[in-house]
Amino acid sequence: EIVEVVENQFPDATITPTGPVDFCQGGSVVLNAVEDPDYTYQWFLNGEEIENNTGSSLTVTASGSYTVVVNNSGCERTSSPIVVRVSTQNTAAISVIPPTTFCQGGSALLTANLAPEGQTAYTYNWLRNGAAIPGETGNTYAASQSGDYQVVVSNGTCTKTSEPVTITVNPLPTATISGETAFCEGGSVTLRATEGTDYTYQWFRGGAAIAGATEMEYVASVPGNYTVRVTSESDCSTTSAVTVVTMNPLPVATISTNGPTAFCAGSAVTLSTVVAPQG
């Protein structure tokens, strides 16, 4: 009797990933074993059998060391391990100390979240209205312009963009004083502040507020250093430069005669006027 002896070959147990084995949570990679119709397969994670995974490929979404045992008619071979690293999806959030609406010249400190203790430090890129702000890669940013601010946070593998924080910067009103600045004793001048929609005013002399002087115009009858504070509807204020108002004294006028002031018809007396500055 002739007995036929068949020598079965050990199978090729090589794993080939179809993409990066380091990826962010929510992603995946497909591991492919050598495909052969005579082969059977069993996949393992960290040495533990993965139930119901007996095909030539495996879709991986979790970190770990993956191997596959390939069987060819009783001849088995175990692959070298493929290590997959799935990074935790980092968060991207901005905290800001109110207010987020302020006057020109102010700012709001925006702070991005730090990496949890023990994890790789995050890197940051700040955006305003969707465009990168050059050179701003720290975890804080002082926003001094209006716009929608976001931060892109990365842990080297995963990247996430925060929800926007809206900053509103209100412009400062213009504050100037016009009008004559000198008057004679007993007179006055009218000072005029910059006119604007919904502006309110407060006049000052020598740095002290003038009671009741809250109109766009102010009649100054006292010499001094005048300023006006102009406040817009958004409660932003600007104080003008100093305007110096001076008062000129009245001259002293006297009349002198060259003779008596009572005389007969046909005679005359000469009257002379002398005007001299007061003081």
Side-chain angles (χ1 to χ4, degrees):
E1 181 179 356
I2 299 173
V3 177
E4 184 177 358
V5 177
V6 178
E7 182 182 4
N8 293 320
Q9 300 295 316
F10 281 99
D12 184 351
T14 303
I15 298 176
T16 304
T18 58
V21 292
D22 289 357
F23 53 88
C24 195
Q25 189 176 34
S28 64
V29 64
V30 176
L31 305 181
N32 287 325
V34 176
E35 189 172 5
D36 189 297
D38 294 328
Y39 289 176
T40 60
Y41 308 87
Q42 178 59 60
W43 291 88
F44 292 80
L45 170 59
N46 299 327
E48 299 291 330
E49 182 179 302
I50 306 173
E51 294 184 2
N52 302 318
N53 281 279
T54 57
S56 62
S57 65
L58 177 71
T59 299
V60 172
T61 60
S63 296
S65 178
Y66 289 85
T67 55
V68 63
V69 174
V70 183
N71 187 297
N72 178 25
S73 301
C75 296
E76 287 188 347
R77 179 170 283 170
T78 302
S79 70
S80 297
I82 292 288
V83 178
V84 175
R85 297 179 181 87
V86 181
S87 295
T88 301
Q89 179 71 30
N90 55 287
T91 58
I94 298 174
S95 61
V96 56
I97 299 174
T100 55
T101 298
F102 48 86
C103 298
Q104 186 179 355
S107 64
L109 183 63
L110 309 180
T111 302
N113 57 295
L114 297 173
E117 187 176 354
Q119 292 191 17
T120 302
Y122 291 166
T123 60
Y124 307 90
N125 285 282
W126 290 90
L127 312 176
R128 183 169 71 90
N129 298 330
I133 304 173
E136 294 301 334
T137 56
N139 79 300
T140 62
Y141 177 72
S144 59
Q145 299 182 60
S146 294
D148 291 333
Y149 288 84
Q150 294 170 283
V151 64
V152 179
V153 181
S154 175
N155 64 3
T157 302
C158 304
T159 298
K160 193 169 184 181
T161 302
S162 71
E163 292 296 318
V165 171
T166 301
I167 300 296
T168 303
V169 182
N170 292 316
L172 296 175
T174 302
T176 60
I177 297 175
S178 61
E180 296 294 328
T181 58
F183 60 91
C184 293
E185 185 178 354
S188 63
V189 291
T190 299
L191 305 178
R192 297 177 183 84
T194 309
E195 184 177 5
T197 303
D198 296 319
Y199 281 1
T200 58
Y201 306 88
Q202 176 61 61
W203 290 88
F204 296 80
R205 182 174 64 248
I210 303 171
T214 57
E215 300 297 327
M216 186 183 72
E217 293 185 346
Y218 177 70
V219 177
S221 58
V222 177
N225 295 333
Y226 286 83
T227 57
V228 64
R229 184 176 64 212
V230 180
T231 303
S232 66
E233 186 180 21
S234 57
D235 205 31
C236 295
S237 297
T238 303
T239 298
S240 72
V242 172
T243 293
V244 180
V245 174
T246 58
M247 181 181 69
N248 296 319
L250 295 175
V252 177
T254 60
I255 299 175
S256 62
T257 65
N258 64 349
T261 56
F263 49 84
C264 296
S267 297
V269 65
T270 299
L271 304 178
S272 300
T273 301
V274 178
V275 179
Q278 192 175 43

